[in-house]
Amino acid sequence: GQDGPYATRPGYDFMIQGMGGLMSITGERDGLPGAGPQKAGVAVTDIVTGMYASVAILAALTERSRSGLGQHLDISLLDCHVALLANQNSNFFTSGVAPQRAGNAHQNVVPYQVFAASDGHLIVATGNDSQYRAYCRAIGAPQLAEDERFIDNRRRVINRDVLVRLLTDIMKQGRRDDWLARLEAVGVPCGPINDIGQVFDDPQVKARGLRVDMPHPAGTTAPVTASPLRFSETPVAYRHAPPRLGEHTAQVLEEVLGMDDAERRRRVGR
């Protein structure tokens, strides 16, 4: 940020993930194998700061068109990261207790986590009581839907450890894709845990065109990830493949920095 006691410090995603609290709620629960603070697998702080910045730019442009006033934007990694914590901040504000790591489970909803099947892992995300009841019926355990300890989400959170042990024993007896088919059939949110190769082989990812193979000047194609922004009237156009090293150096020096031919050659040797 532009002010405050840390204003002169450099900002790095990894550092902010720790300083801003994300690593305190990411990773396996204390006391279990592999427990301890864990960073996210991508630079989420860098990414979300860029996204917040783009929203701020659009808001400033809208204000400029309304009032004619320009303004300076102060978008910091730490600010954006703390805002990203969302419901975890609310958990702290309302209870005064700092949330802890919960592994692949949800802090406020049960069951909403990863389960091991006999041949892989899947996510089960019962977002409400009716989905929980449908889940219990689908896995052949309707008695767990009627058990007073688990009758609603509040009581499932209180009795989380007991319920999860029971569900874990059931889930590990079936095959992953069989469970997914059963749960999808009754409207229970669920999904596999894919590696990135499996992601781009997924029928939905293919249907949405999330991989774009662009012609490259080298005579081959360059695969890129498609933009997630979909516009009905002005669709995103993919015009240029990723440039080769130094491909636009001369163009930038001439058109942006205004160097003449002699100066450009003196600086870059071509």
Side-chain angles (χ1 to χ4, degrees):
Q2 299 301 303
D3 54 26
Y6 303 158
T8 60
R9 293 186 182 182
Y12 287 88
D13 178 278
F14 190 9
M15 178 188 74
I16 300 296
Q17 285 195 40
M19 181 179 176
L22 181 63
M23 291 178 64
S24 76
I25 56 172
T26 303
E28 193 49 86
R29 288 188 298 168
D30 288 339
L32 296 180
Q38 183 67 53
K39 73 179 183 67
V42 296
V44 291
T45 307
D46 287 345
I47 293 168
V48 77
T49 302
M51 295 175 73
Y52 271 117
S54 64
V55 173
I57 291 167
L58 294 173
L61 289 172
T62 300
E63 175 61 23
R64 187 187 68 179
S65 67
R66 187 185 69 84
S67 67
L69 297 175
Q71 55 192 306
H72 177 269
L73 304 178
D74 177 6
I75 315 295
S76 87
L77 290 173
L78 182 59
D79 295 354
C80 294
H81 180 90
V82 173
L84 177 66
L85 299 183
N87 62 302
Q88 299 285 24
N89 290 339
S90 296
N91 287 343
F92 170 69
F93 291 153
T94 56
S95 69
V97 178
Q100 302 299 305
R101 290 182 296 278
N104 287 316
H106 197 289
Q107 300 276 10
N108 306 99
V109 184
V110 178
Y112 199 106
Q113 64 181 78
V114 172
F115 286 105
S118 63
D119 61 344
H121 292 81
L122 70 153
I123 295 168
V124 176
T126 60
N128 55 51
D129 292 337
S130 63
Q131 289 177 353
Y132 170 71
R133 290 190 291 270
Y135 167 61
C136 290
R137 292 192 295 269
I139 65 174
Q143 72 279 6
L144 295 180
E146 306 304 325
D147 191 309
E148 286 295 322
R149 295 172 296 175
F150 318 130
I151 201 73
D152 58 29
N153 185 65
R154 182 182 67 84
R155 279 176 273 194
R156 290 195 296 277
V157 170
I158 293 171
N159 297 296
R160 178 195 299 264
D161 290 344
V162 175
L163 176 59
V164 169
R165 280 197 298 271
L166 295 170
L167 295 176
T168 297
D169 289 341
I170 295 170
M171 298 299 290
K172 68 184 180 184
Q173 297 175 32
R175 295 175 60 84
R176 187 195 73 169
D177 290 349
D178 291 341
W179 286 134
L180 292 173
R182 287 195 199 184
L183 299 180
E184 288 173 1
V186 297
V188 174
C190 61
I193 296 179
N194 290 330
D195 64 29
I196 294 176
Q198 292 169 324
V199 169
F200 284 98
D201 196 41
D202 186 277
Q204 180 68 12
V205 172
K206 288 182 175 180
R208 297 287 286 177
L210 292 177
R211 171 174 171 153
V212 178
D213 291 292
M214 302 187 64
H216 195 275
T220 183
T221 58
V224 299
T225 305
S227 170
L229 306 180
R230 307 299 170 102
F231 299 92
S232 64
E233 305 303 323
T234 56
V236 174
Y238 300 92
R239 295 186 294 270
H240 305 291
R244 290 171 291 183
L245 181 64
E247 181 176 340
H248 299 112
T249 298
Q251 182 181 347
V252 170
L253 294 178
E254 292 171 10
E255 297 180 8
V256 179
L257 299 182
M259 292 185 185
D260 60 25
D261 229 20
E263 176 70 0
R264 175 176 61 77
R265 291 179 185 279
R266 186 181 72 80
R267 287 179 177 268
V268 301
R270 60 185 177 87

